Amino acid sequence: MTRYAGNAAALRALVREQEVHRDVYVSEEVFQLEMEHMFPNSWVYVGHDSQVPNAGDYFGTTIGTQPVLLVRHTDGKVHVLHNRCPHKGTRITSETCGNTGKFFRCPYHAWSFKTDGSLLAIPLKKGYENTGFEQSHAAPGMAPVRHVRNYRGFVFAKINGGGLDFEEFFGESLSSFDNMIDRSPAGQLKVAGGVLRYMHNCNWKMLVENQTDTCHPMVAHESSAGTVVEVWKKAPPGTKKPMAVEIIAPFMSPYEFFENMGIRIWDNGHGHTGVHHSIHSDYSAVPGYFEKMTAAYGEERAKAILGENRHNTVYFPNIMIKGPIQLLRHFKPIAANKTLVESWTFQLVDAPDMLLERTLMYNRLINAPTSIVGHDDLEMYERAQEGLHSNGNEWVNLQRLYSPDEAEQTNVAVNGTSEWPMRHQFRAWSKFMTMGM
Amino acid sequence: MSMLAEAPLKNAVPTDQELIDFVVREARLIDQQRFDEWLDMYADDAFYWMPLEWNQTDPRLTCSLMYEDKLLLSIRVERLKGARTFSQKPKSRCHHVLQTPQVDSRDAAANSYVTWTAMHYVETRLEEQTLYAAWATHHLSVEDGKLRIKLKRVDLINCDAAFGNIQLFM
């Protein structure tokens, strides 16, 4: 049954000021429309250019559910191509990442393409003479994604023409990327340590919302972080606090901690928790790091960079970054009830290895399929995905600290337990879902 | 000797059979959810390592699925007992099938013994049952007349796949 296709009014009606309809999470039709409209209308994260350092390097990923390739062309420029042979549709690359040399070669009929996607050669080319091939969809080669922006190494792409340009879409939210990158004395990040992949039987938006949900840690994570706190209490007095305890214990901070830490709201669904402080604020100093930062930036600027302790920055639609520990989580939609979560870690170029060590420990303690903290969250998402099928109530409540004039406001910092960021994400969802419809 | 109790070593240097029995007993304690006894099989400075990469050599600057010391392992065991551990309501169960462990190396002078065990591990919760294939490498030593695990390394054949929750110990 089709209820929403081509019906912008019906889609808009799913998002109210203080609640959203369950169909945004459970309807396969709404999911398909997200893939057709919402993702193509948005600037979506593709990858980091350190994943393709040399000409011919490629990395395969998705924009929504569409397969794309991030590739470094011979001129050094990074391109995003639809990962599909223009001939029969075959996926061009056999591995997720690698180096293709000077050209891509389709494994089915050996059509070949330059690394900017343009058609290089077809075997038995004579067979296409006088067939009008030049006017075909296949002639240009692998279709490029036209709108690509490399922001200080982070590559975003927008599939549709029109809509917002990159600066309009992100606005001041790019300051969280700046802070994460500036934490390198060289002002540069590099993907390092390997990617953790975690399959979730729930809608992708549940993960996005959870990044600014500060009322759940002390409840859902009592099982993991609460146990850490209890076990650590039994350690003999004077024992040095292990890195693992420094990382997990702050999840059990009381409501006041999260209320006071603040949330900042930006346009288009972006925002971050941790305006004043965050769960990352009290990590031990890493020997030699501040000295390197001071040498690179001067003491005042180094202090300002490291003084920012943004907890989670959400970039609508589907990534989150943690600046203070250089981590990016990508919530990749697969179906209305299925999401692949990739957690990527970054090395601060020219900084001590211990920082990467801490980043990796955080990633495996919090984001791994073997992580006890991750188990707490996934259990709740999967229960919600099931519970939403109840007809007792078709609406999800997002009312906490609502203010009637909030839709007009932007770049404001509010109480850290507000559900304003989630309401703002859905305002953006509604906007990009129906844009041009 | 019964598998239920820990057998003291007959001599200062363990026999191959004693090493094998020890590894088999470890899997059985996990299957029977006797996690406190299981934890006692680990030396105080032990690590449990589950790499994320095929042939991974570095647990520090390369991410792992697990690289946990005894404090973190004891936190996991305590968590499994918790009243508000919702991801364990209802509880998971697991099942190991081991090939006979092979003794890869024995060095009595260094008090170091290494075994290698191919295994299938099944974890189940509610309607879901998931099969994992892995190799377990045990680095063992003798402490106070008993064998202890210094390092247990679990290499999943599909270590880099996207998994759902893996809640117990392999």
Side-chain angles (χ1 to χ4, degrees), chain A residues 193 195-199 222-224 227-228 231 242 244-245 340 353-354 356-357 360 364-365 368-370 372 375-376 378-380 383, chain B residues 50 52 59-68 71-72 74-76 78-79 84-87 89 125 160-167:
Chain A
V195 55
L196 269 172
R197 303 168 72 238
Y198 196 170
M199 196 61 83
E222 187 181 336
S223 127
S224 50
T227 307
V228 169
V231 171
V245 176
L340 171 64
D353 281 348
M354 192 179 157
L356 177 60
E357 185 181 359
L360 296 179
R364 70 174 182 266
L365 289 178
T370 35
I372 55 178
H375 295 170
D376 293 339
L378 179 51
E379 175 70 14
M380 296 308 141
R383 287 189 189 206
Chain B
M50 194 184 291
L52 178 63
R60 186 173 159 254
L61 298 181
T62 302
C63 199
S64 299
L65 288 161
M66 278 177 76
Y67 184 64
E68 302 202 347
L71 174 72
L72 283 168
S74 68
I75 286 165
R76 282 183 182 267
E78 284 306 305
R79 176 180 176 274
R84 296 206 179 98
T85 303
F86 300 110
S87 74
K89 286 177 178 291
R125 181 172 176 247
D160 45 8
F163 300 108
N165 281 348
I166 300 174
Q167 301 227 35

Coordinates of all heavy atoms in Angstrom, one line a residue, chain A residues 193 195-199 222-224 227-228 231 242 244-245 340 353-354 356-357 360 364-365 368-370 372 375-376 378-380 383, chain B residues 50 52 59-68 71-72 74-76 78-79 84-87 89 125 160-167:
Chain A
G193 N 43.8 2.5 12.8 CA 43.4 1.6 13.8 C 42.4 0.5 13.4 O 42.1 -0.4 14.1
V195 N 38.4 -0.3 11.4 CA 37.0 0.1 11.5 C 36.2 -1.0 12.2 O 36.3 -2.2 11.9 CB 36.3 0.5 10.2 CG1 36.4 -0.6 9.2 CG2 34.9 0.9 10.4
L196 N 35.4 -0.6 13.3 CA 34.5 -1.5 13.9 C 33.2 -1.5 13.3 O 32.6 -0.5 13.0 CB 34.3 -1.1 15.4 CG 35.3 -1.6 16.4 CD1 35.1 -0.9 17.8 CD2 35.2 -3.1 16.6
R197 N 32.6 -2.7 13.0 CA 31.4 -2.8 12.3 C 30.4 -3.5 13.2 O 30.7 -4.6 13.7 CB 31.5 -3.4 10.9 CG 32.6 -2.7 10.1 CD 33.0 -3.5 8.9 NE 32.0 -3.5 7.9 CZ 31.5 -4.7 7.4 NH1 32.0 -5.8 7.8 NH2 30.6 -4.6 6.4
Y198 N 29.2 -3.0 13.3 CA 28.2 -3.5 14.3 C 26.8 -3.4 13.7 O 26.4 -2.4 13.3 CB 28.3 -2.5 15.5 CG 27.7 -3.0 16.9 CD1 28.0 -2.2 18.0 CD2 26.9 -4.1 17.0 CE1 27.5 -2.6 19.3 CE2 26.4 -4.5 18.2 CZ 26.7 -3.7 19.4 OH 26.2 -4.0 20.6
M199 N 26.2 -4.6 13.6 CA 24.9 -4.7 12.9 C 23.8 -4.5 13.9 O 23.7 -5.1 15.0 CB 24.7 -6.0 12.2 CG 23.6 -6.0 11.2 SD 23.8 -4.8 9.8 CE 24.9 -5.8 8.8
E222 N 23.6 1.7 33.5 CA 23.9 1.2 34.9 C 24.5 -0.2 34.9 O 25.4 -0.5 35.7 CB 22.6 1.2 35.8 CG 22.9 0.9 37.2 CD 21.6 0.9 38.1 OE1 20.6 1.5 37.7 OE2 21.7 0.2 39.1
S223 N 24.1 -1.0 33.9 CA 24.6 -2.3 33.8 C 26.1 -2.3 33.5 O 26.8 -3.1 34.1 CB 23.8 -3.0 32.7 OG 24.7 -3.6 31.7
S224 N 26.6 -1.5 32.7 CA 28.0 -1.5 32.3 C 28.8 -0.5 33.1 O 29.6 -0.8 33.9 CB 28.2 -1.2 30.8 OG 27.4 -0.1 30.4
T227 N 28.5 -0.9 36.8 CA 29.3 -2.0 37.4 C 30.8 -1.6 37.4 O 31.5 -1.9 38.4 CB 29.2 -3.2 36.5 OG1 27.8 -3.5 36.3 CG2 29.9 -4.4 37.1
V228 N 31.2 -0.8 36.4 CA 32.6 -0.3 36.5 C 32.8 0.5 37.8 O 33.8 0.3 38.5 CB 32.9 0.6 35.2 CG1 34.3 1.3 35.4 CG2 33.0 -0.3 34.0
V231 N 32.9 -1.9 40.8 CA 34.1 -2.7 40.9 C 35.3 -1.8 41.3 O 36.1 -2.2 42.1 CB 34.3 -3.5 39.6 CG1 35.7 -4.2 39.6 CG2 33.2 -4.5 39.4
P242 N 42.8 3.3 36.0 CA 43.1 2.8 34.7 C 42.4 3.6 33.6 O 41.3 4.2 33.9 CB 42.6 1.3 34.7 CG 42.3 1.0 36.1 CD 42.0 2.3 36.8
A244 N 40.7 2.6 31.2 CA 39.4 2.0 30.9 C 38.4 2.6 31.9 O 37.2 2.9 31.5 CB 39.4 0.5 31.0
V245 N 38.7 2.8 33.1 CA 37.8 3.3 34.1 C 37.6 4.8 33.8 O 36.4 5.3 33.9 CB 38.3 3.1 35.6 CG1 37.4 3.8 36.6 CG2 38.5 1.6 35.9
L340 N 23.7 -0.6 9.7 CA 25.1 -1.0 9.9 C 25.8 0.2 10.5 O 25.8 1.3 10.0 CB 25.8 -1.3 8.6 CG 27.3 -1.6 8.7 CD1 27.7 -2.7 9.6 CD2 27.9 -1.7 7.3
D353 N 51.6 8.5 20.3 CA 50.8 7.3 20.1 C 49.7 7.0 21.1 O 48.7 6.4 20.9 CB 51.7 6.1 20.0 CG 52.4 6.0 18.6 OD1 52.0 6.7 17.7 OD2 53.3 5.2 18.5
M354 N 50.0 7.5 22.4 CA 49.1 7.2 23.5 C 47.7 7.7 23.2 O 46.7 7.2 23.7 CB 49.6 7.7 24.8 CG 48.9 7.3 26.0 SD 49.7 8.0 27.5 CE 48.3 7.8 28.6
L356 N 46.2 7.8 20.2 CA 45.5 6.8 19.4 C 45.1 5.5 20.2 O 44.0 5.0 20.1 CB 46.4 6.4 18.2 CG 45.8 5.3 17.3 CD1 44.5 5.7 16.7 CD2 46.8 4.9 16.2
E357 N 46.0 5.2 21.1 CA 45.7 4.1 22.0 C 44.4 4.3 22.8 O 43.6 3.4 22.9 CB 46.9 3.9 23.0 CG 46.8 2.6 23.9 CD 48.0 2.5 24.8 OE1 48.9 3.3 24.8 OE2 48.0 1.5 25.6
L360 N 41.4 4.1 20.5 CA 41.0 2.7 20.2 C 40.4 2.0 21.4 O 39.5 1.2 21.2 CB 42.3 1.9 19.7 CG 42.9 2.4 18.4 CD1 44.1 1.6 18.0 CD2 41.8 2.4 17.3
R364 N 36.6 0.3 21.4 CA 36.3 -1.1 21.6 C 35.5 -1.3 22.9 O 34.7 -2.2 23.0 CB 37.5 -2.1 21.6 CG 38.5 -1.9 22.7 CD 39.6 -3.0 22.6 NE 40.5 -2.8 23.7 CZ 41.6 -2.1 23.7 NH1 42.0 -1.6 22.5 NH2 42.3 -1.9 24.8
L365 N 35.7 -0.4 23.9 CA 34.9 -0.5 25.1 C 33.5 0.0 24.9 O 32.6 -0.4 25.7 CB 35.6 0.3 26.2 CG 36.9 -0.2 26.8 CD1 37.5 0.7 27.9 CD2 36.7 -1.6 27.3
A368 N 32.0 -1.5 20.2 CA 32.2 -2.8 19.6 C 31.0 -3.8 19.8 O 30.3 -3.6 20.8 CB 33.5 -3.5 20.1
P369 N 30.8 -4.7 18.8 CA 29.7 -5.7 19.1 C 30.0 -6.6 20.3 O 29.1 -7.3 20.8 CB 29.7 -6.5 17.8 CG 31.0 -6.2 17.1 CD 31.5 -4.9 17.5
T370 N 31.2 -6.5 20.7 CA 31.7 -7.2 22.0 C 31.7 -6.3 23.2 O 32.2 -6.7 24.2 CB 33.1 -7.8 21.7 OG1 33.8 -6.9 20.9 CG2 33.0 -9.1 21.0
I372 N 30.3 -4.1 26.2 CA 29.1 -4.2 27.1 C 28.3 -2.9 27.1 O 27.1 -2.9 27.2 CB 29.6 -4.5 28.6 CG1 30.6 -3.5 29.1 CG2 30.1 -5.9 28.6 CD1 31.1 -3.8 30.5
H375 N 26.1 -3.1 24.1 CA 24.9 -4.0 24.3 C 23.8 -3.3 25.0 O 22.6 -3.6 24.7 CB 25.4 -5.2 25.2 CG 26.4 -6.1 24.6 ND1 27.1 -7.0 25.3 CD2 26.9 -6.1 23.4 CE1 27.9 -7.7 24.5 NE2 27.9 -7.1 23.3
D376 N 24.1 -2.4 25.9 CA 23.0 -1.7 26.7 C 22.1 -0.9 25.7 O 20.9 -1.0 25.7 CB 23.6 -0.7 27.6 CG 24.3 -1.3 28.8 OD1 24.1 -2.5 29.1 OD2 25.2 -0.7 29.4
L378 N 22.0 -1.2 22.2 CA 21.3 -1.9 21.1 C 20.1 -2.6 21.7 O 19.0 -2.7 21.0 CB 22.3 -3.0 20.5 CG 21.7 -3.9 19.4 CD1 21.0 -3.1 18.3 CD2 22.8 -4.7 18.8
E379 N 20.1 -3.1 22.9 CA 19.0 -3.8 23.5 C 17.8 -2.8 23.5 O 16.6 -3.2 23.2 CB 19.3 -4.2 25.0 CG 18.1 -4.8 25.7 CD 17.7 -6.1 25.2 OE1 18.4 -6.8 24.4 OE2 16.6 -6.6 25.6
M380 N 18.0 -1.5 23.8 CA 17.0 -0.5 23.9 C 16.4 -0.2 22.5 O 15.2 -0.1 22.3 CB 17.4 0.8 24.6 CG 17.8 0.6 26.0 SD 16.5 -0.3 27.0 CE 17.5 -1.3 28.0
R383 N 14.3 -3.1 21.4 CA 13.0 -3.2 22.1 C 12.1 -2.1 21.5 O 10.9 -2.3 21.4 CB 13.2 -2.9 23.6 CG 13.8 -4.1 24.3 CD 13.8 -3.9 25.8 NE 14.6 -4.9 26.5 CZ 14.4 -5.3 27.7 NH1 13.4 -4.7 28.4 NH2 15.1 -6.2 28.3
Chain B
M50 N 40.7 -10.6 21.5 CA 39.9 -11.0 20.3 C 40.2 -10.0 19.2 O 39.7 -8.9 19.2 CB 38.4 -11.0 20.6 CG 37.6 -11.8 19.6 SD 35.9 -11.8 19.9 CE 35.7 -12.8 21.3
L52 N 40.5 -7.8 15.7 CA 39.5 -7.4 14.7 C 40.0 -7.6 13.3 O 39.3 -7.7 12.3 CB 39.3 -5.9 14.9 CG 38.3 -5.1 14.0 CD1 36.9 -5.6 14.1 CD2 38.4 -3.6 14.3
P59 N 47.9 -5.3 19.5 CA 46.6 -5.0 20.2 C 46.5 -3.5 20.7 O 45.4 -3.1 21.1 CB 46.7 -5.9 21.4 CG 48.1 -6.0 21.7 CD 48.8 -5.9 20.4
R60 N 47.5 -2.7 20.6 CA 47.6 -1.4 21.2 C 47.2 -0.3 20.2 O 46.3 0.5 20.5 CB 49.0 -1.1 21.7 CG 49.1 0.2 22.5 CD 50.4 0.3 23.1 NE 50.7 1.7 23.4 CZ 51.5 2.5 22.7 NH1 52.3 2.0 21.8 NH2 51.6 3.8 23.0
L61 N 47.8 -0.3 19.0 CA 47.5 0.7 18.0 C 46.6 0.2 16.8 O 46.5 0.9 15.8 CB 48.8 1.4 17.5 CG 49.6 2.1 18.6 CD1 50.9 2.7 18.1 CD2 48.8 3.1 19.4
T62 N 46.1 -1.0 17.0 CA 45.1 -1.5 16.0 C 43.9 -1.9 16.8 O 44.1 -2.5 17.9 CB 45.7 -2.7 15.2 OG1 46.9 -2.3 14.6 CG2 44.7 -3.2 14.2
C63 N 42.7 -1.6 16.4 CA 41.6 -1.9 17.2 C 41.3 -3.4 17.3 O 41.6 -4.1 16.3 CB 40.3 -1.2 16.6 SG 39.0 -1.0 17.8
S64 N 40.8 -3.8 18.4 CA 40.4 -5.2 18.6 C 38.9 -5.3 19.0 O 38.4 -4.3 19.4 CB 41.2 -5.8 19.7 OG 42.6 -5.8 19.4
L65 N 38.3 -6.4 18.8 CA 37.0 -6.6 19.4 C 37.0 -6.6 20.9 O 36.2 -6.0 21.5 CB 36.4 -7.9 18.8 CG 36.0 -7.9 17.3 CD1 35.9 -9.3 16.8 CD2 34.7 -7.1 17.1
M66 N 38.0 -7.3 21.4 CA 38.3 -7.2 22.9 C 39.8 -7.3 23.1 O 40.5 -8.0 22.4 CB 37.7 -8.5 23.6 CG 36.2 -8.4 23.9 SD 35.6 -9.9 24.6 CE 36.2 -9.8 26.3
Y67 N 40.3 -6.5 24.0 CA 41.6 -6.6 24.6 C 41.5 -6.2 26.0 O 41.6 -5.0 26.3 CB 42.6 -5.8 23.8 CG 44.0 -6.0 24.2 CD1 44.6 -7.2 24.1 CD2 44.8 -5.0 24.8 CE1 45.9 -7.5 24.5 CE2 46.1 -5.2 25.3 CZ 46.6 -6.4 25.1 OH 47.9 -6.6 25.5
E68 N 41.2 -7.1 26.9 CA 40.8 -6.8 28.2 C 41.7 -7.4 29.3 O 42.0 -8.6 29.2 CB 39.3 -7.1 28.4 CG 38.5 -6.5 27.4 CD 37.0 -6.3 27.7 OE1 36.6 -7.0 28.7 OE2 36.3 -5.6 27.0
L71 N 40.8 -6.8 35.3 CA 39.8 -5.9 35.9 C 38.5 -5.8 35.0 O 37.4 -5.9 35.4 CB 40.4 -4.5 36.0 CG 39.4 -3.4 36.5 CD1 39.0 -3.6 38.0 CD2 40.0 -2.0 36.3
L72 N 38.8 -5.6 33.7 CA 37.6 -5.5 32.7 C 36.9 -6.9 32.6 O 35.7 -6.9 32.5 CB 38.1 -5.1 31.4 CG 38.5 -3.6 31.3 CD1 39.2 -3.3 30.0 CD2 37.2 -2.7 31.4
S74 N 36.6 -9.0 35.0 CA 35.8 -9.2 36.3 C 34.5 -8.2 36.2 O 33.5 -8.6 36.7 CB 36.6 -8.9 37.5 OG 37.0 -7.6 37.6
I75 N 34.7 -7.1 35.5 CA 33.5 -6.2 35.4 C 32.5 -6.9 34.5 O 31.3 -6.8 34.8 CB 34.0 -4.8 34.7 CG1 34.7 -4.0 35.8 CG2 32.8 -4.1 34.2 CD1 35.5 -2.9 35.3
R76 N 32.9 -7.5 33.4 CA 32.0 -8.3 32.6 C 31.2 -9.3 33.4 O 30.0 -9.5 33.3 CB 32.7 -8.9 31.4 CG 33.1 -8.0 30.3 CD 33.7 -8.8 29.2 NE 34.1 -7.9 28.1 CZ 33.4 -7.6 27.1 NH1 32.2 -8.2 26.9 NH2 33.8 -6.7 26.1
E78 N 30.7 -9.4 36.7 CA 29.8 -8.8 37.6 C 28.6 -8.3 36.9 O 27.4 -8.4 37.4 CB 30.5 -7.6 38.3 CG 31.5 -8.0 39.4 CD 30.8 -9.0 40.5 OE1 29.8 -8.6 41.0 OE2 31.3 -10.1 40.7
R79 N 28.8 -7.7 35.7 CA 27.7 -7.2 34.9 C 26.6 -8.2 34.6 O 25.4 -8.0 34.6 CB 28.2 -6.5 33.7 CG 27.1 -6.0 32.7 CD 27.6 -5.4 31.5 NE 26.6 -5.0 30.6 CZ 26.0 -5.8 29.7 NH1 26.4 -7.0 29.6 NH2 25.0 -5.3 28.9
R84 N 19.9 -4.9 36.6 CA 19.4 -4.1 35.5 C 20.2 -4.2 34.3 O 20.4 -3.3 33.5 CB 19.5 -2.6 36.0 CG 18.5 -2.3 37.2 CD 18.1 -0.9 37.2 NE 17.2 -0.7 38.4 CZ 17.6 -0.2 39.5 NH1 18.8 0.1 39.8 NH2 16.7 0.0 40.5
T85 N 20.8 -5.5 34.1 CA 21.5 -5.8 32.9 C 20.4 -6.2 31.8 O 20.2 -7.4 31.6 CB 22.6 -6.8 33.1 OG1 23.4 -6.3 34.1 CG2 23.4 -7.1 31.9
F86 N 19.8 -5.2 31.2 CA 18.6 -5.5 30.3 C 19.0 -6.4 29.1 O 18.1 -7.1 28.7 CB 17.9 -4.2 29.9 CG 17.5 -3.4 31.1 CD1 18.1 -2.2 31.5 CD2 16.5 -3.9 32.0 CE1 17.7 -1.5 32.6 CE2 16.1 -3.2 33.1 CZ 16.7 -2.0 33.4
S87 N 20.2 -6.3 28.6 CA 20.5 -7.1 27.4 C 20.7 -8.5 27.8 O 20.9 -9.4 26.9 CB 21.8 -6.5 26.7 OG 22.9 -6.9 27.5
K89 N 18.3 -10.0 29.8 CA 17.0 -10.4 30.3 C 16.2 -10.7 29.1 O 15.7 -9.8 28.4 CB 16.4 -9.2 31.1 CG 17.0 -9.1 32.5 CD 16.3 -7.9 33.2 CE 16.8 -7.7 34.6 NZ 16.4 -8.7 35.5
R125 N 20.2 -16.4 22.3 CA 19.4 -15.6 23.1 C 18.0 -15.4 22.5 O 18.0 -15.1 21.3 CB 20.0 -14.2 23.4 CG 19.1 -13.4 24.4 CD 19.8 -12.1 24.8 NE 18.9 -11.3 25.6 CZ 18.4 -10.1 25.3 NH1 18.7 -9.6 24.2 NH2 17.5 -9.5 26.1
D160 N 36.4 -9.6 10.8 CA 36.1 -8.3 10.3 C 34.6 -8.1 9.8 O 34.3 -7.1 9.2 CB 37.1 -7.9 9.2 CG 37.3 -9.0 8.2 OD1 36.6 -10.0 8.3 OD2 38.2 -8.8 7.3
A161 N 33.8 -9.1 10.1 CA 32.4 -9.0 9.7 C 31.6 -8.1 10.6 O 32.1 -7.8 11.7 CB 31.8 -10.4 9.7
A162 N 30.5 -7.7 10.2 CA 29.6 -6.8 11.0 C 28.7 -7.8 11.9 O 27.9 -8.5 11.4 CB 28.7 -5.9 10.2
F163 N 29.0 -7.8 13.2 CA 28.2 -8.7 14.1 C 27.1 -7.9 14.8 O 27.2 -6.7 15.0 CB 29.2 -9.2 15.2 CG 30.3 -10.0 14.6 CD1 31.6 -9.5 14.6 CD2 30.1 -11.3 14.1 CE1 32.7 -10.3 14.1 CE2 31.2 -12.0 13.6 CZ 32.4 -11.5 13.6
G164 N 26.2 -8.7 15.3 CA 25.3 -8.2 16.3 C 25.9 -8.3 17.7 O 27.2 -8.5 17.7
N165 N 25.2 -8.3 18.8 CA 25.8 -8.4 20.1 C 26.5 -9.8 20.2 O 25.8 -10.8 20.0 CB 24.7 -8.3 21.2 CG 24.4 -6.9 21.4 OD1 25.1 -5.9 21.0 ND2 23.3 -6.6 22.2
I166 N 27.7 -9.8 20.7 CA 28.4 -11.0 21.2 C 28.5 -10.8 22.7 O 29.3 -10.0 23.2 CB 29.7 -11.2 20.5 CG1 29.6 -11.4 19.0 CG2 30.4 -12.5 21.1 CD1 30.9 -11.4 18.2
Q167 N 27.7 -11.5 23.5 CA 27.6 -11.1 24.9 C 28.4 -11.9 25.9 O 28.8 -11.4 27.0 CB 26.1 -11.3 25.3 CG 25.2 -10.4 24.5 CD 24.2 -9.6 25.3 OE1 24.5 -9.1 26.4 NE2 23.0 -9.4 24.7

